[in-house]
mmCIF file of all heavy atoms in Angstrom:
data_model
loop_
_atom_site.group_PDB
_atom_site.id
_atom_site.type_symbol
_atom_site.label_atom_id
_atom_site.label_comp_id
_atom_site.label_asym_id
_atom_site.label_seq_id
_atom_site.Cartn_x
_atom_site.Cartn_y
_atom_site.Cartn_z
ATOM 1 N N ALA A 1 -52.739 -34.477 -33.407
ATOM 2 C CA ALA A 1 -53.821 -35.245 -32.772
ATOM 3 C C ALA A 1 -53.273 -36.087 -31.630
ATOM 4 O O ALA A 1 -52.105 -36.474 -31.619
ATOM 5 C CB ALA A 1 -54.497 -36.154 -33.803
ATOM 6 N N THR A 2 -54.144 -36.372 -30.662
ATOM 7 C CA THR A 2 -53.860 -37.352 -29.603
ATOM 8 C C THR A 2 -54.931 -38.435 -29.703
ATOM 9 O O THR A 2 -56.127 -38.132 -29.713
ATOM 10 C CB THR A 2 -53.915 -36.708 -28.209
ATOM 11 O OG1 THR A 2 -52.910 -35.691 -28.130
ATOM 12 C CG2 THR A 2 -53.653 -37.739 -27.123
ATOM 13 N N LEU A 3 -54.496 -39.689 -29.801
ATOM 14 C CA LEU A 3 -55.435 -40.800 -29.941
ATOM 15 C C LEU A 3 -55.512 -41.542 -28.608
ATOM 16 O O LEU A 3 -54.525 -42.111 -28.142
ATOM 17 C CB LEU A 3 -54.984 -41.765 -31.045
ATOM 18 C CG LEU A 3 -54.559 -41.134 -32.386
ATOM 19 C CD1 LEU A 3 -54.329 -42.216 -33.436
ATOM 20 C CD2 LEU A 3 -55.590 -40.151 -32.887
ATOM 21 N N SER A 4 -56.677 -41.525 -27.997
ATOM 22 C CA SER A 4 -56.895 -42.178 -26.709
ATOM 23 C C SER A 4 -57.897 -43.310 -26.892
ATOM 24 O O SER A 4 -58.937 -43.120 -27.511
ATOM 25 C CB SER A 4 -57.443 -41.183 -25.684
ATOM 26 O OG SER A 4 -56.546 -40.091 -25.550
ATOM 27 N N GLY A 5 -57.570 -44.471 -26.341
ATOM 28 C CA GLY A 5 -58.455 -45.628 -26.488
ATOM 29 C C GLY A 5 -57.885 -46.846 -25.796
ATOM 30 O O GLY A 5 -58.625 -47.739 -25.380
ATOM 31 N N HIS A 6 -56.565 -46.873 -25.667
ATOM 32 C CA HIS A 6 -55.940 -47.979 -24.938
ATOM 33 C C HIS A 6 -56.021 -47.728 -23.432
ATOM 34 O O HIS A 6 -56.123 -46.583 -22.980
ATOM 35 C CB HIS A 6 -54.469 -48.134 -25.358
ATOM 36 C CG HIS A 6 -54.302 -48.788 -26.693
ATOM 37 N ND1 HIS A 6 -54.679 -50.086 -26.943
ATOM 38 C CD2 HIS A 6 -53.800 -48.317 -27.870
ATOM 39 C CE1 HIS A 6 -54.405 -50.396 -28.206
ATOM 40 N NE2 HIS A 6 -53.880 -49.334 -28.787
ATOM 41 N N GLN A 7 -55.945 -48.831 -22.670
ATOM 42 C CA GLN A 7 -56.034 -48.725 -21.216
ATOM 43 C C GLN A 7 -54.739 -49.153 -20.531
ATOM 44 O O GLN A 7 -54.726 -49.501 -19.353
ATOM 45 C CB GLN A 7 -57.209 -49.572 -20.717
ATOM 46 C CG GLN A 7 -58.528 -48.945 -21.114
ATOM 47 C CD GLN A 7 -59.697 -49.901 -20.977
ATOM 48 O OE1 GLN A 7 -59.508 -51.082 -20.703
ATOM 49 N NE2 GLN A 7 -60.888 -49.382 -21.192
ATOM 50 N N GLY A 8 -53.654 -49.124 -21.281
ATOM 51 C CA GLY A 8 -52.348 -49.458 -20.733
ATOM 52 C C GLY A 8 -51.279 -48.905 -21.655
ATOM 53 O O GLY A 8 -51.594 -48.258 -22.668
ATOM 54 N N PRO A 9 -50.010 -49.150 -21.332
ATOM 55 C CA PRO A 9 -48.930 -48.666 -22.194
ATOM 56 C C PRO A 9 -49.125 -49.111 -23.644
ATOM 57 O O PRO A 9 -49.530 -50.249 -23.895
ATOM 58 C CB PRO A 9 -47.684 -49.320 -21.587
ATOM 59 C CG PRO A 9 -48.036 -49.554 -20.153
ATOM 60 C CD PRO A 9 -49.500 -49.849 -20.138
ATOM 61 N N VAL A 10 -48.847 -48.199 -24.573
ATOM 62 C CA VAL A 10 -48.900 -48.531 -26.004
ATOM 63 C C VAL A 10 -47.470 -48.844 -26.438
ATOM 64 O O VAL A 10 -46.575 -48.009 -26.301
ATOM 65 C CB VAL A 10 -49.479 -47.357 -26.833
ATOM 66 C CG1 VAL A 10 -49.648 -47.771 -28.282
ATOM 67 C CG2 VAL A 10 -50.818 -46.905 -26.252
ATOM 68 N N TRP A 11 -47.256 -50.069 -26.919
ATOM 69 C CA TRP A 11 -45.891 -50.513 -27.235
ATOM 70 C C TRP A 11 -45.451 -50.120 -28.638
ATOM 71 O O TRP A 11 -44.316 -49.732 -28.848
ATOM 72 C CB TRP A 11 -45.772 -52.029 -27.097
ATOM 73 C CG TRP A 11 -46.085 -52.608 -25.762
ATOM 74 C CD1 TRP A 11 -46.922 -53.664 -25.504
ATOM 75 C CD2 TRP A 11 -45.556 -52.225 -24.482
ATOM 76 N NE1 TRP A 11 -46.950 -53.930 -24.160
ATOM 77 C CE2 TRP A 11 -46.122 -53.076 -23.513
ATOM 78 C CE3 TRP A 11 -44.662 -51.236 -24.069
ATOM 79 C CZ2 TRP A 11 -45.824 -52.972 -22.152
ATOM 80 C CZ3 TRP A 11 -44.370 -51.139 -22.715
ATOM 81 C CH2 TRP A 11 -44.941 -51.986 -21.777
ATOM 82 N N GLN A 12 -46.343 -50.282 -29.617
ATOM 83 C CA GLN A 12 -45.951 -50.003 -31.003
ATOM 84 C C GLN A 12 -47.099 -49.372 -31.782
ATOM 85 O O GLN A 12 -48.280 -49.587 -31.472
ATOM 86 C CB GLN A 12 -45.500 -51.291 -31.718
ATOM 87 C CG GLN A 12 -44.109 -51.748 -31.317
ATOM 88 C CD GLN A 12 -43.580 -52.898 -32.184
ATOM 89 O OE1 GLN A 12 -44.179 -53.297 -33.180
ATOM 90 N NE2 GLN A 12 -42.443 -53.436 -31.793
ATOM 91 N N VAL A 13 -46.703 -48.613 -32.797
ATOM 92 C CA VAL A 13 -47.649 -48.079 -33.784
ATOM 93 C C VAL A 13 -47.120 -48.418 -35.173
ATOM 94 O O VAL A 13 -45.911 -48.611 -35.360
ATOM 95 C CB VAL A 13 -47.811 -46.543 -33.653
ATOM 96 C CG1 VAL A 13 -48.674 -46.181 -32.459
ATOM 97 C CG2 VAL A 13 -46.460 -45.844 -33.569
ATOM 98 N N ALA A 14 -48.023 -48.521 -36.143
ATOM 99 C CA ALA A 14 -47.606 -48.861 -37.511
ATOM 100 C C ALA A 14 -48.563 -48.213 -38.504
ATOM 101 O O ALA A 14 -49.786 -48.379 -38.404
ATOM 102 C CB ALA A 14 -47.610 -50.386 -37.702
ATOM 103 N N TRP A 15 -48.000 -47.463 -39.453
ATOM 104 C CA TRP A 15 -48.806 -46.837 -40.511
ATOM 105 C C TRP A 15 -49.090 -47.853 -41.618
ATOM 106 O O TRP A 15 -48.185 -48.559 -42.055
ATOM 107 C CB TRP A 15 -48.040 -45.675 -41.145
ATOM 108 C CG TRP A 15 -47.765 -44.505 -40.254
ATOM 109 C CD1 TRP A 15 -46.645 -44.303 -39.497
ATOM 110 C CD2 TRP A 15 -48.594 -43.356 -40.043
ATOM 111 N NE1 TRP A 15 -46.729 -43.111 -38.827
ATOM 112 C CE2 TRP A 15 -47.911 -42.506 -39.140
ATOM 113 C CE3 TRP A 15 -49.842 -42.961 -40.539
ATOM 114 C CZ2 TRP A 15 -48.436 -41.293 -38.720
ATOM 115 C CZ3 TRP A 15 -50.362 -41.750 -40.115
ATOM 116 C CH2 TRP A 15 -49.678 -40.927 -39.211
ATOM 117 N N ALA A 16 -50.330 -47.899 -42.064
ATOM 118 C CA ALA A 16 -50.655 -48.708 -43.239
ATOM 119 C C ALA A 16 -50.163 -47.987 -44.490
ATOM 120 O O ALA A 16 -49.917 -46.769 -44.479
ATOM 121 C CB ALA A 16 -52.162 -48.942 -43.315
ATOM 122 N N HIS A 17 -50.020 -48.734 -45.590
ATOM 123 C CA HIS A 17 -49.633 -48.127 -46.862
ATOM 124 C C HIS A 17 -50.713 -47.137 -47.285
ATOM 125 O O HIS A 17 -51.913 -47.398 -47.117
ATOM 126 C CB HIS A 17 -49.467 -49.235 -47.916
ATOM 127 C CG HIS A 17 -48.861 -48.749 -49.195
ATOM 128 N ND1 HIS A 17 -49.612 -48.130 -50.174
ATOM 129 C CD2 HIS A 17 -47.583 -48.785 -49.658
ATOM 130 C CE1 HIS A 17 -48.809 -47.805 -51.183
ATOM 131 N NE2 HIS A 17 -47.578 -48.188 -50.897
ATOM 132 N N PRO A 18 -50.318 -45.971 -47.836
ATOM 133 C CA PRO A 18 -51.316 -44.931 -48.145
ATOM 134 C C PRO A 18 -52.359 -45.350 -49.184
ATOM 135 O O PRO A 18 -53.407 -44.712 -49.290
ATOM 136 C CB PRO A 18 -50.473 -43.751 -48.649
ATOM 137 C CG PRO A 18 -49.140 -44.315 -48.976
ATOM 138 C CD PRO A 18 -48.947 -45.501 -48.097
ATOM 139 N N LYS A 19 -52.104 -46.432 -49.933
ATOM 140 C CA LYS A 19 -53.130 -46.847 -50.906
ATOM 141 C C LYS A 19 -54.404 -47.330 -50.194
ATOM 142 O O LYS A 19 -55.452 -47.420 -50.804
ATOM 143 C CB LYS A 19 -52.581 -47.907 -51.856
ATOM 144 C CG LYS A 19 -52.583 -49.336 -51.376
ATOM 145 C CD LYS A 19 -52.094 -50.247 -52.496
ATOM 146 C CE LYS A 19 -52.383 -51.701 -52.235
ATOM 147 N NZ LYS A 19 -51.770 -52.587 -53.231
ATOM 148 N N PHE A 20 -54.283 -47.624 -48.877
ATOM 149 C CA PHE A 20 -55.454 -48.033 -48.100
ATOM 150 C C PHE A 20 -56.075 -46.854 -47.347
ATOM 151 O O PHE A 20 -56.968 -47.048 -46.522
ATOM 152 C CB PHE A 20 -55.061 -49.127 -47.100
ATOM 153 C CG PHE A 20 -54.468 -50.353 -47.758
ATOM 154 C CD1 PHE A 20 -53.122 -50.661 -47.598
ATOM 155 C CD2 PHE A 20 -55.249 -51.180 -48.548
ATOM 156 C CE1 PHE A 20 -52.577 -51.776 -48.204
ATOM 157 C CE2 PHE A 20 -54.700 -52.305 -49.165
ATOM 158 C CZ PHE A 20 -53.366 -52.602 -48.997
ATOM 159 N N GLY A 21 -55.590 -45.649 -47.627
ATOM 160 C CA GLY A 21 -56.073 -44.471 -46.917
ATOM 161 C C GLY A 21 -55.157 -44.140 -45.751
ATOM 162 O O GLY A 21 -54.110 -44.753 -45.552
ATOM 163 N N SER A 22 -55.552 -43.162 -44.954
ATOM 164 C CA SER A 22 -54.753 -42.731 -43.812
ATOM 165 C C SER A 22 -55.160 -43.582 -42.607
ATOM 166 O O SER A 22 -56.210 -43.372 -42.006
ATOM 167 C CB SER A 22 -54.983 -41.247 -43.546
ATOM 168 O OG SER A 22 -54.083 -40.781 -42.579
ATOM 169 N N MET A 23 -54.307 -44.573 -42.297
ATOM 170 C CA MET A 23 -54.668 -45.573 -41.302
ATOM 171 C C MET A 23 -53.457 -45.924 -40.449
ATOM 172 O O MET A 23 -52.335 -45.986 -40.939
ATOM 173 C CB MET A 23 -55.170 -46.819 -42.038
ATOM 174 C CG MET A 23 -56.047 -47.716 -41.219
ATOM 175 S SD MET A 23 -56.605 -49.121 -42.197
ATOM 176 C CE MET A 23 -57.762 -48.361 -43.283
ATOM 177 N N LEU A 24 -53.708 -46.163 -39.172
ATOM 178 C CA LEU A 24 -52.643 -46.452 -38.216
ATOM 179 C C LEU A 24 -53.108 -47.592 -37.317
ATOM 180 O O LEU A 24 -54.275 -47.653 -36.929
ATOM 181 C CB LEU A 24 -52.384 -45.191 -37.370
ATOM 182 C CG LEU A 24 -51.215 -45.184 -36.392
ATOM 183 C CD1 LEU A 24 -49.893 -45.090 -37.146
ATOM 184 C CD2 LEU A 24 -51.342 -43.990 -35.441
ATOM 185 N N ALA A 25 -52.189 -48.513 -37.023
ATOM 186 C CA ALA A 25 -52.496 -49.579 -36.055
ATOM 187 C C ALA A 25 -51.677 -49.346 -34.802
ATOM 188 O O ALA A 25 -50.570 -48.804 -34.860
ATOM 189 C CB ALA A 25 -52.173 -50.946 -36.651
ATOM 190 N N SER A 26 -52.223 -49.786 -33.651
ATOM 191 C CA SER A 26 -51.487 -49.676 -32.394
ATOM 192 C C SER A 26 -51.740 -50.924 -31.555
ATOM 193 O O SER A 26 -52.785 -51.568 -31.672
ATOM 194 C CB SER A 26 -51.921 -48.430 -31.615
ATOM 195 O OG SER A 26 -53.306 -48.481 -31.309
ATOM 196 N N CYS A 27 -50.747 -51.263 -30.714
ATOM 197 C CA CYS A 27 -50.908 -52.423 -29.830
ATOM 198 C C CYS A 27 -50.463 -52.040 -28.426
ATOM 199 O O CYS A 27 -49.605 -51.180 -28.251
ATOM 200 C CB CYS A 27 -50.126 -53.632 -30.343
ATOM 201 S SG CYS A 27 -48.331 -53.431 -30.366
ATOM 202 N N SER A 28 -51.043 -52.722 -27.446
ATOM 203 C CA SER A 28 -50.870 -52.267 -26.068
ATOM 204 C C SER A 28 -50.788 -53.417 -25.072
ATOM 205 O O SER A 28 -51.174 -54.555 -25.353
ATOM 206 C CB SER A 28 -52.056 -51.361 -25.700
ATOM 207 O OG SER A 28 -52.146 -51.133 -24.313
#
């Protein structure tokens, strides 16, 4: 997959623990 939504460089990504489902955070 490619996730598009930020409007500038994405600095970091972080996976949540799987007990919360399949979830990812990103900051830009």
Side-chain angles (χ1 to χ4, degrees):
T2 298
L3 313 188
S4 303
H6 284 296
Q7 290 165 353
V10 185
W11 301 130
Q12 284 189 7
V13 284
W15 295 92
H17 189 278
K19 83 176 194 187
F20 302 111
S22 188
M23 202 179 288
L24 186 73
S26 60
C27 65
S28 166

